[in-house]
Each structure stands twice: as structure tokens, then as C-alpha cells.
Amino acid sequence: MTQEEFVEIFNRKMKEKLKKTLSRGSYGPYEKGLRYPKKYIKLFAEFYGVTVGYLQGKELRYDLADIEKLTLNGRELSGKKLENALKYIEFLLADDD
């Protein structure tokens, strides 16, 4: 998707929540990491269906619907055990040590 396409779709979808529409000129530096989208970060997260932490690179995004099972050394994790394992992985990745 081009920046122009993103801005058009974003403005249309988020119009009820926007005080001022987003321009391509404003969006470009956000995408390139040259500026932080303070005014728009929550709306970007809502638009993409992720958390603000995910957009900031502080959270791992996974969809349990896409992961049916995890196997290691012939032992299978599924259900609640799989969910807990993914949460633990997220915890480990959040540690900045």
C-alpha cells in the first residue's frame, strides 16, 4: 500500500475520531521513523488492530487462532499450555537486559 493509499483509507475509516485529517506529508516521517506520531499513535493502533505497545516494538503480536500447536522434542503444547508459553515468550522479549 502506498502512503497516499494508506492516508486516504485511514482518514476515511477514522474520520469520526480525527480532529484534523492526516496528510501524506505528515505520515511519511512517521513511517520512516523520523518523527513520533504522538497525536495519531492510538488511532494507528486501532486502525491496524494492534496495541500501542506493539507499534512501539514493546510487545510481541501473535494470534492464537493461527497457532494450533507447538511441538518441541516430540512433546506437544496446545490450549492453555500453548497460551501460557506464548505469554512467557512475550515476557522474555520485553526484558531489555
Side-chain angles (χ1 to χ4, degrees):
M1 173 181 325
T2 67
Q3 291 179 353
E4 290 84 6
E5 291 168 330
F6 170 80
V7 167
E8 180 183 332
I9 294 166
F10 177 81
N11 285 328
R12 187 175 51 237
K13 184 174 179 183
M14 305 308 281
K15 69 181 175 185
E16 303 292 324
K17 299 178 182 186
L18 288 170
K19 293 179 183 174
K20 180 181 170 191
T21 58
L22 178 66
S23 70
R24 199 224 44 89
S26 292
Y27 178 70
Y30 300 150
E31 185 178 277
K32 294 175 184 171
L34 301 174
R35 288 184 38 214
Y36 183 78
K38 203 182 291 188
K39 297 191 303 192
Y40 295 101
I41 191 74
K42 289 181 183 176
L43 294 175
F44 288 163
E46 183 178 334
F47 179 83
Y48 284 114
V50 298
T51 64
V52 170
Y54 174 76
L55 288 180
Q56 295 171 326
K58 296 179 181 177
E59 294 177 12
L60 176 65
R61 180 177 175 214
Y62 58 85
D63 186 350
L64 291 176
D66 292 340
I67 303 172
E68 295 176 8
K69 67 180 180 176
L70 177 65
T71 304
L72 179 62
N73 295 332
R75 297 185 69 195
E76 184 179 302
L77 285 178
S78 60
K80 191 67 175 172
K81 287 183 178 183
L82 174 62
E83 184 178 341
N84 288 337
L86 292 172
K87 285 180 183 178
Y88 184 66
I89 292 168
E90 183 178 35
F91 168 77
L92 292 173
L93 292 173
D95 188 14
D96 290 338
D97 289 351

